[in-house]
Amino acid sequence: MRIGELATKAGVSVRALRYYEEQGLLGADRSSSGQRHYPEPAVDRVRLIQMLYSAGLSSRTIAELLPCVDAKVSTPESRARLAAERDRIDAQIAELTLTRDRLDAVIACSSSHDGCMTVVEEPLMEAVSA
Amino acid sequence: MRIGELATKAGVSVRALRYYEEQGLLGADRSSSGQRHYPEPAVDRVRLIQMLYSAGLSSRTIAELLPCVDAKVSTPESRARLAAERDRIDAQIAELTLTRDRLDAVIACSSSHDGCMTVVEEPLMEAVSA
DNA sequence: CTAGAACCTGACGTTGACGTCAGAGGCAAG
DNA sequence: CTTGCCTCTGACGTCAACGTCAGGTTCTAG
């Protein structure tokens, strides 16, 4: 498939796909006239790349991770790299959960205004700064 | 307290505090010579601002949310605004959880290489694109 | 064969949350 | 009073993940 079709199927822009190639995240066959051609699994690959981007990973980090994913090279380094990013995401989830609970507390307080702020705020902030 | 002390206590840069003021997130008293002076609760406020930033909210959104938090104005609009952002964060948590599970699957596969990729990949990706 | 859609390679523009530097003034200590 | 640290206001720099435009080629439908 050509780049436009892949972009549509994966839900990203054509520019993004060219950028992924530039960053070494996504290879492409070239026709004799220079046009990019992708195999079907490229759709899933692009979606995976998008998942990792939206998890806050940089192009460089993703470029380091992807070989571990598809080449299935099970070196101790690759596994450590994957586990490290997994842990980063876990930490991010924990932090977001705290933020959400903080907002929930504010909402609850705003729905029936009591002095609940002073009760909730302190331990929550300590947990975050820790 | 002056800006340097607040920056240290809240764990952000002096530049960041001035930027928060510029964005209307953090007020400050001024001495006759023009230096900023903050009350003690500013520390918690800055930490809250940081929480919201790291949850992916923009300055503008935070500026709209903060009055709902401290003024405790319980208008239906303010509650809707808070709830909307809470839901956004919830969605973000769900997406991150999927990404983490995806990485976990890759790690498990990499630790004992079987054909687990083809089993796990499909339903997981559908859930994401949905 | 020809119009229009899709593709190509540069290359500059955008956005947000600051970093950083310049130049000038303010403040407590010795 | 002066040394040294803190603070002030601009204002330009940065970085990543693209958006967008220019100028040219290629594919496809009628």
Side-chain angles (χ1 to χ4, degrees):
Chain A
M1 72 195 328
R2 291 190 303 174
I3 197 171
E5 191 181 349
L6 176 57
T8 302
K9 283 189 179 175
V12 303
S13 70
V14 167
R15 177 66 173 96
L17 294 179
R18 290 201 266 254
Y19 177 73
Y20 297 165
E21 181 174 338
E22 187 185 323
Q23 300 297 308
L25 308 180
L26 182 65
D29 297 336
R30 297 299 188 115
S31 73
S32 58
S33 64
Q35 298 205 342
R36 293 169 180 87
H37 285 271
Y38 303 91
E40 205 58 43
V43 178
D44 280 342
R45 190 185 181 84
V46 170
R47 290 199 182 137
L48 172 58
I49 292 174
Q50 280 291 105
M51 285 188 75
L52 297 177
Y53 269 129
S54 63
L57 307 197
S58 68
S59 291
R60 203 171 57 83
T61 304
I62 297 176
E64 289 168 14
L65 245 50
L66 281 182
C68 310
V69 173
D70 37 54
K72 283 159 196 158
V73 279
S74 182
T75 74
E77 294 91 10
S78 74
R79 261 169 299 170
R81 197 93 183 82
L82 289 169
E85 294 304 328
R86 198 269 317 271
D87 291 346
R88 261 179 33 85
I89 294 175
D90 257 355
Q92 206 174 330
I93 291 174
E95 198 184 330
L96 278 177
T97 303
L98 279 176
T99 305
R100 185 201 53 190
D101 292 347
R102 181 83 156 84
L103 274 185
D104 273 341
V106 171
I107 291 171
C109 176
S110 137
S111 297
S112 64
H113 17 57
D114 309 329
C116 55
M117 289 286 298
T118 54
V119 183
V120 176
E121 190 157 0
E122 299 303 338
L124 216 51
M125 295 312 292
E126 286 176 17
V128 166
S129 63
Chain B
M1 71 195 334
R2 292 192 300 174
I3 197 170
E5 190 180 349
L6 176 57
T8 302
K9 283 189 179 174
V12 303
S13 70
V14 167
R15 177 68 174 97
L17 294 178
R18 290 204 266 259
Y19 177 74
Y20 297 165
E21 181 175 337
E22 188 185 323
Q23 301 297 309
L25 308 180
L26 183 65
D29 296 336
R30 296 300 186 113
S31 75
S32 58
S33 64
Q35 298 204 341
R36 294 170 179 86
H37 285 273
Y38 303 91
E40 205 58 42
V43 178
D44 280 343
R45 190 184 181 83
V46 170
R47 289 199 183 136
L48 172 59
I49 292 173
Q50 279 291 105
M51 285 187 74
L52 297 176
Y53 269 129
S54 63
L57 306 197
S58 67
S59 290
R60 204 169 58 82
T61 305
I62 297 177
E64 290 168 13
L65 245 49
L66 281 182
C68 309
V69 172
D70 37 54
K72 282 156 196 160
V73 279
S74 182
T75 74
E77 294 89 10
S78 73
R79 260 169 298 171
R81 197 94 184 79
L82 289 170
E85 294 305 326
R86 197 269 319 270
D87 291 347
R88 262 180 32 86
I89 294 175
D90 257 355
Q92 206 174 331
I93 291 174
E95 198 184 329
L96 278 177
T97 303
L98 279 177
T99 304
R100 185 202 52 190
D101 292 347
R102 181 81 157 84
L103 275 185
D104 272 341
V106 171
I107 291 171
C109 177
S110 141
S111 297
S112 65
H113 18 57
D114 310 329
C116 58
M117 289 287 298
T118 54
V119 181
V120 176
E121 190 156 1
E122 299 303 339
L124 216 51
M125 297 310 294
E126 287 177 17
V128 166
S129 63

